[in-house]
Amino acid sequence: MSVTTEAFKPDNSWRESSWRHLASRPRQPSITRAGDNERLRWRVVFAMAAFGVLYAVLAGRLVHLGLAANGDDMRTAGAASAVAAARPDIVDENGEILATDIKTASLYAEPRRIVDADEAAEQLSLVFPEFDRDRLRRDLATNAGFLWLKREITPDQRRRVHELGLPGIGFVSENRRFYPGGPTVSHILGAVNVDNQGIAGMEKYIDDSGLADLHQAGFATEHGLEPVKLSIDLRVQHAVRSELETAMGKYTAKAAIGIVLDVKTGEVVGMSSLPDFDPNIPAQALDKDRLNRATVGVYEMGSTFKTFTTAMALDSGLVHLNDTFDASKPLRISGFTIHDFHGKHRALSVPEIFIYSSNIGTAKMALECGIPMQQEFLGKLGLLDELRTELPEAGAPLKPREWTKLSSVTISFGHGISVSPLQTAAAGAALMNGGYYIPPTFLPRDERTAAELSRRVVKPETSADMRKLMRLNVLKGSGRRAAVPGYRVGGKTGTAEKVVNGKYANDKRRNAFLSAFPIDDPRYLVLVVIDEPNPEKPGLPATAGMNAAPTTAAIIRRIAPMLGIKPLLTDPEEDLATTIAAIE
């Protein structure tokens, strides 16, 4: 049976009739009117405005909370930045704290929020009598947003102000630097300003080494910084300062300096300059008499320079230990006469020139070497240029504009050139440690690092000869009062007349003693300088051998056991005979 597709074709006639029916119906009017559109538009506008106000309130609150810190409403950037000066602790080589931060409160005002400026000024003046009440009243009556009233107030002052309940008066918690040892390490540590920023000493060094940049970047705002360790041994530092204080009282001196230096590493183990200051009272540092004489002051070091002249002469090969020089009569140079303080009036061997501190013999050794060699040698020892260490305070040497024959002679025994005591100590260490100049440092340094920084300045044989001469001077010469039982000390005295009104004054001296121990294989160098000492007793001389040398002995006697140097039981006479035999 055949079936066609016509049978399955759909019938769409009903759709066409339906569309025709709908098209023929009349159009109905719209249900939306113009008034309804206007009301809808305003509803949208009001909703957007409401959300805008809400977001503005929230944003303002977030800003308000962002400016709040430590419970205080800091409405100015000045108050907020005040707490950003946290500093790392400074410790000695054994971990003892030398400087640390403590929390303190500072007082501020927001004048625009103060209700009664007269009352506020009167009430605050009762807590702080030092305030100028009239000026404070004028300041509080302004429309200013922020005003510091007093930084670093005491807990009792904070409590009393808080109890006043004055609107517009508040507190900021700040970091304040505290130095537990007071003046003990003052010239090394330095000081900070009211914003806890380093302005002197190692404090400034720390800022210059990156701390200031951290603060500016918004970091290092609280504790947690790694401590900064120094090479200083607080025990040694205390002993040095204590003995200098004793010496100043005993000899009624104007000032005193003491330095202990590790000759193998260049580390400053102790350094004190008196009068010093209390870094907890920074204003004391402004007193000109409290300057750091050890690094800033430059002085004629007197006969301690004979150590360098003798080393130069021996190292040159032009002079030998068994050579002699005529010191029987004064030396005439360019119209000036060079005398010996205690002349022997005869020819002197090199060891005798050293232990009797002969100006004439030393001058003749310098003339033997010549001016160029002298300049070169002193330059190698770092005595002609400013000494740079971590401490920003340093004095530049004073040297002759024209290095004449007379200049060469006077410089040979420590006149006509001024250097800092630390420069003298560093140069002396080079002659004691085998002949290597090592730049001094206030930071820890091991011997390997020191060796990389060192430079040879004299032969090992010259260093050995100088140690023998230094030991002989303590056994038999001007340094006898520096002897310490059980410790083989060597050293050289230096008595320099001070210049007053352009002339040398024979009644004003600056005395020094440059020493090292144990002299066979020195580990530590000690330099003591006493400014304008007087005789301990009437009739006694006020030379270095009478005051600087015994002060050095007192320091060594105290610090040697601390530093692990064991005493040796030796016979002084046998020691002297051995030393003389070694020289001869």
Side-chain angles (χ1 to χ4, degrees), residues 340-419:
D340 280 345
F341 186 68
H342 289 300
K344 299 300 179 181
H345 308 294
R346 60 177 176 81
L348 300 175
S349 65
V350 170
E352 288 177 322
I353 291 171
F354 192 81
I355 66 173
Y356 299 142
S357 200
S358 169
N359 293 338
I360 299 171
T362 304
K364 289 189 173 183
M365 285 194 291
L367 291 174
E368 187 76 19
C369 296
I371 294 175
M373 183 181 294
Q374 185 183 44
Q375 291 176 313
E376 179 187 3
F377 188 79
L378 296 180
K380 288 194 301 183
L381 291 178
L383 295 169
L384 300 184
D385 299 300
E386 183 177 307
L387 177 63
R388 303 306 305 176
T389 66
E390 294 83 9
L391 297 189
E393 299 83 21
L398 300 178
K399 49 194 176 186
R401 294 180 181 178
E402 184 180 358
W403 207 293
T404 64
K405 189 176 182 180
L406 178 62
S407 300
S408 177
V409 165
T410 58
I411 288 172
S412 72
F413 50 80
H415 287 76
I417 186 171
S418 297
V419 299

Side-chain angles (χ1 to χ4, degrees), residues 37 60 69 71 151 257 260 297 313 322 354 392 400 431 464 498 566 569:
N37 286 332
R151 308 290 288 272
I257 304 161
V260 179
N322 56 3
F354 192 81
L431 304 183
K498 296 181 68 174
K566 297 180 180 179
L569 300 178

Side-chain angles (χ1 to χ4, degrees), residues 43-325:
R43 286 174 184 170
V44 173
V45 170
F46 283 135
M48 292 176 63
F51 277 110
V53 171
L54 178 62
Y55 282 124
V57 171
L58 290 175
R61 183 57 178 164
L62 289 173
V63 172
H64 176 80
L65 293 174
L67 291 177
N70 296 327
D72 293 312
D73 185 14
M74 300 180 188
R75 290 171 173 79
T76 68
S81 64
V83 298
R87 306 183 64 80
D89 289 347
I90 302 178
V91 299
D92 82 335
E93 69 165 1
N94 298 311
E96 295 291 332
I97 292 180
L98 305 177
T100 189
D101 276 356
I102 60 174
K103 288 292 184 181
T104 185
S106 290
L107 183 66
Y108 71 90
E110 296 172 279
R112 66 178 61 169
R113 298 182 60 214
I114 291 176
V115 178
D116 189 334
D118 290 340
E119 180 187 4
E122 182 177 352
Q123 295 294 330
L124 290 172
S125 296
L126 295 177
V127 181
F128 303 98
E130 67 272 21
F131 282 2
D132 184 331
R133 186 178 302 181
D134 292 335
R135 179 179 178 181
L136 179 60
R137 184 184 297 110
R138 290 194 301 270
D139 291 341
L140 297 181
T142 67
N143 197 36
F146 180 86
L147 174 69
W148 279 122
L149 296 181
K150 187 174 179 63
R151 308 290 288 272
E152 299 178 0
I153 63 177
T154 66
D156 181 63
Q157 290 172 332
R158 189 188 193 284
R159 178 187 59 79
R160 292 173 63 188
V161 173
H162 178 73
E163 291 174 352
L164 295 176
L166 297 172
I169 302 298
F171 308 95
V172 175
S173 180
E174 295 194 272
N175 294 303
R176 178 187 175 188
R177 205 61 164 164
F178 176 63
Y179 302 90
T184 305
V185 201
S186 58
H187 283 118
I188 298 172
L189 296 176
V192 298
N193 62 16
V194 70
D195 292 319
N196 222 26
Q197 298 166 336
I199 57 175
M202 292 301 297
E203 294 282 26
K204 188 174 190 311
Y205 169 79
I206 292 171
D207 278 46
D208 294 343
S209 298
L211 182 64
D213 294 334
L214 286 177
H215 286 159
Q216 290 178 1
F219 298 103
T221 58
E222 293 298 333
H223 289 292
L225 298 169
E226 283 292 323
V228 175
K229 179 180 285 191
L230 303 187
S231 60
I232 300 300
D233 186 322
L234 186 57
R235 303 168 302 169
V236 173
Q237 180 72 17
H238 175 74
V240 171
R241 185 177 184 275
S242 173
E243 293 302 333
L244 292 182
E245 279 190 316
T246 299
M248 285 183 65
K250 182 184 294 186
Y251 308 116
T252 58
K254 178 181 178 181
I257 304 161
I259 298 172
V260 179
L261 190 69
D262 187 322
V263 304
K264 295 185 182 297
T265 65
E267 294 170 296
V268 179
V269 182
M271 186 184 80
S272 185
S273 171
L274 300 181
D276 51 19
F277 66 96
D278 187 344
N280 295 306
I281 311 174
Q284 289 186 357
L286 301 177
D287 187 342
K288 62 180 179 63
D289 289 332
R290 299 176 186 268
L291 82 158
N292 183 0
R293 289 172 166 83
T295 63
V296 178
V298 292
Y299 313 107
E300 293 186 347
M301 295 301 294
S303 294
T304 55
F305 252 63
K306 292 172 182 173
T307 308
F308 310 133
T309 302
T310 304
M312 173 187 67
L314 294 174
D315 201 61
S316 69
L318 299 174
V319 176
H320 301 87
L321 279 176
N322 56 3
D323 287 347
T324 59
F325 292 85

